[in-house]
Amino acid sequence: MPNSPKLSRRSGDPGGEDSFAFRGSDVLLQAWRDGLRPDPALTVSEWADQHRMLSSRASAEPGRYRTARTPYMRDIMDALSPTNPVQRVVFMKAAQVGATEAGCCFIGFVIHHAPGPMLCVQPTVEMAKRASRQRIDPLIEESPAIRDRVKPARSRDAGNTMLSKDFPGGTLVLTGANSAVGLRSMPARYLFLDEVDAYPASADDEGDPVGLAEARSLTFAHRRKVFLASTPTIRGMSRIEREYEASDQRRFFVPCPHCGTMQWLKFERLRWDKGRPETVRYHCEACEQEIAEHHKGAMLAAGVWRATATGTDPGTIGFHISALYSPPGWQSWRDIVRLWEAAQGNDDALRVFKNTVLGETWTESGEAPDWQRLYDRRETWANGSVPEGALFLTAGADVQKDRVEIDVWAWGRNLESWLVDHIVIDGGPEKAETWTALEQVLAKTWQHANGAALKIARLAIDSGYESSAVYTWGRRVGVGQVSPIKGVEGFNRSSPVSGPTFVDATEGGKKVRRGARLWTVAVSTFKSETYRYLRLERPTDEELAEGIRFPAGTVHLPSWSDSEWCKQFVAEQLVTVKNRRGFSKLEWQKLRERNEALDCRVYARAAAWIVGADRWSEAKWRDLEKQVAATDFASASDPEAGQIRRIARRPRRIIKFSGLN
């Protein structure tokens, strides 16, 4: 062995050649020999079965990890092994089917057997910190094979921090998709992109987070491994669906216990007696025999993944699975049926069911309702311009070149709404008179059916045209009643309004040290919501007389709204278009030129979100009802509940809401 260490004989002669000998020579030689021995040729799933331990902090089933518990995860994990030629693995799935644990097994395998730089991306930096505490730390602490390879966490040791874990030969960095700095922080051979459909459209305005992250791995060429996993969201907007449809679209085929026919499980094949989820059974698509749930364990063990399409990239493979495959003891078919029945009649609940249970995208219904139908069912409410049931007002203002259009909407429980006024201020934003007139709108009151006088709780004004003028006016009036907004495309149901952020503005050529507060609104979310509310079936006059209430979200239009306004209200529709790469996306397109009524509705709806109507407790709603129905003025001690004050020599009560959150 010409490259072996040269070791001398030990003797008592201090001046001889062997004076350079040391007592650790045997240990050094053995370590050198161990280095020549190749690592066991394990796949990720084999490594997990041998070395992975689950903590009670991170798993409902603590103890040794068993791939056999979720057999459908074996091929997915093994595709992430260095011996597999695949570079990108796409997993579109239901919630809680084991995808994140598979990603943790991937991380543990890299630390132990294939070290290199690795990037784990969560939707936000805060979620990355949570994943570090709840997933990564238990993975390291409970698995002896990797525990000693990661430095223990110490306050002064940068080798093991919340978002960075060093190990021999590599490092694991956790970051959020909302941080462009984190996404471009280092080259990465391995990527774990978790819940990609929850990523923002752009990371700090620097581009698609998935694209930024994948650019980190390109220098590793064929040696890179990218794992994209997510529950899907909205069709045309879903990243994971787009990636899956470009792949070979693998499905997990399981055998029928009666005839042996291989098939992938579909929700449509479940049968049950209505209202009795416990009677559910699956019907084989070949022999139509009933399959009970106790067969599922054996079916999963005998299942195989099969490609159902030809992928556009041979280096990418895609997998899809629903909660129908959840192993025994997890989500049962009975639970799935119960969720389905509970979701009927509620689009939001049905969307959650499709996304999290079936692992499929939700198709938004963006077809424009018939304006004539809206016109024909206009209503007349007496005793004031604000009807019974309405509790507060918001307004949306659309700034045009020669005018400002404002719609005032009243809101009640469950987002039931009434249009109470439409105002047009002649004059462009360059005229001081325009802004003076807009301030007069803020000071105006509208009479409630019970005699109270309501003021606008919040006015949201679009800043897309002449932004600096809008910011200047909003700053002068104050943040308590006015919110400049900026509309952005895309859907964001969890948080359709974000902010506020401070923006710089110029006033008379002088830089303002602190800009106005700007809110960002995902307009597609509120447009789709409005159209969904317009399609709700309404109770008949007889049902109303019997006490049947209007459905949640019902939109009421007054008799004075004309045909032009109704046409503007439904002036857009949601269509699916293809981009240059051939991927589908959803886009709102105009059916006619003027659409101010729809825009003002979206802005007023955003104002209702800003004041907190989507998050108020039952106690707050009751308090608002008491204030509107009060026969005497109320205390102003609670700014969140609103303020009622008496105006001298006027019989009406003035209700002014401020500070609502």
Side-chain angles (χ1 to χ4, degrees), residues 256 258-259 263 269 271 282-291:
C256 170
H258 305 295
C259 68
Q263 57 202 287
R269 304 300 301 176
R271 304 285 189 273
Y282 192 91
H283 279 239
C284 172
E285 64 184 33
C287 67
E288 287 293 339
Q289 289 288 315
E290 293 184 1
I291 301 175

Side-chain angles (χ1 to χ4, degrees), residues 95-336:
Q96 303 299 316
V97 293
T100 302
E101 289 301 334
C104 289
C105 292
F106 179 34
I107 293 172
F109 177 87
V110 168
I111 294 174
H112 191 191
H113 273 294
M118 187 174 195
L119 186 64
C120 176
V121 183
Q122 295 290 327
T124 66
V125 174
E126 283 302 314
M127 293 181 69
K129 293 178 180 178
R130 189 185 314 156
S132 179
R133 292 191 302 267
Q134 298 179 355
R135 300 283 189 175
I136 307 303
D137 287 347
L139 164 71
I140 296 170
E141 295 167 5
E142 302 293 333
S143 302
I146 61 175
R147 185 188 305 145
D148 295 336
R149 292 175 177 260
V150 180
K151 295 180 180 180
R154 297 190 183 98
S155 59
R156 297 184 180 180
D157 187 357
N160 184 350
T161 65
M162 181 77 73
L163 298 177
S164 178
K165 313 289 183 182
D166 289 347
F167 51 90
T171 184
L172 169 66
V173 172
L174 297 94
T175 189
N178 59 342
S179 171
V181 173
L183 293 175
R184 63 167 185 262
S185 61
M186 67 173 199
R189 178 182 175 184
Y190 306 104
L191 294 178
F192 176 28
L193 309 181
D194 197 17
E195 293 300 338
V196 297
D197 269 21
Y199 290 4
S202 179
D204 296 333
D205 296 325
E206 293 193 20
D208 177 38
V210 173
L212 292 175
E214 290 208 54
R216 302 291 92 200
S217 68
L218 295 179
T219 55
F220 290 91
H222 65 279
R223 296 186 300 139
R224 69 173 184 152
K225 291 287 181 180
V226 181
F227 183 31
L228 300 96
S230 184
T231 301
T233 50
I234 300 172
R235 181 163 184 80
M237 306 292 291
S238 171
R239 286 188 178 93
I240 198 68
E241 182 189 52
R242 184 165 63 242
E243 295 287 353
Y244 176 74
E245 289 184 343
S247 73
D248 56 2
Q249 300 181 30
R250 302 187 182 195
R251 302 274 191 174
F252 198 63
F253 284 71
V254 294
C256 170
H258 305 295
C259 68
T261 300
M262 301 295 287
Q263 57 202 287
W264 62 275
L265 302 182
K266 307 176 182 67
F267 177 71
E268 294 75 18
R269 304 300 301 176
L270 289 179
R271 304 285 189 273
W272 70 92
D273 299 335
K274 187 175 181 180
R276 298 182 59 200
E278 67 276 6
T279 63
V280 65
R281 59 272 183 197
Y282 192 91
H283 279 239
C284 172
E285 64 184 33
C287 67
E288 287 293 339
Q289 289 288 315
E290 293 184 1
I291 301 175
E293 187 148 17
H294 66 78
H295 290 117
K296 189 161 60 170
M299 293 167 65
L300 292 177
V304 294
W305 285 100
R306 293 179 179 176
T308 62
T310 301
T312 58
D313 176 14
T316 299
I317 58 176
F319 302 84
H320 175 270
I321 208 161
S322 71
L324 271 68
Y325 291 90
S326 292
W330 291 15
Q331 193 169 33
S332 67
W333 290 344
R334 180 178 58 184
D335 295 335
I336 291 172

Side-chain angles (χ1 to χ4, degrees), residues 565-639:
W565 189 95
C566 292
K567 290 176 181 178
Q568 291 183 22
F569 198 41
V570 291
E572 298 183 23
Q573 69 177 2
L574 190 63
V575 299
T576 302
V577 298
K578 290 187 179 293
N579 61 17
R580 295 177 182 177
R581 299 176 60 192
F583 294 134
S584 297
K585 69 172 185 176
L586 295 177
E587 184 178 281
W588 285 92
Q589 294 184 354
K590 287 185 179 181
L591 298 174
R592 64 197 308 273
E593 183 59 30
R594 294 193 59 182
N595 65 340
E596 294 90 340
L598 179 59
D599 285 344
C600 288
R601 161 72 185 200
V602 169
Y603 306 154
R605 174 68 179 92
W609 174 281
I610 292 171
V611 300
D614 295 77
R615 304 172 296 281
W616 283 340
S617 64
E618 173 63 22
K620 182 163 289 188
W621 284 109
R622 286 199 300 266
D623 187 54
L624 291 176
E625 289 172 334
K626 290 178 182 178
Q627 291 190 60
V628 172
T631 57
D632 199 358
F633 68 93
S635 171
S637 60
D638 182 6

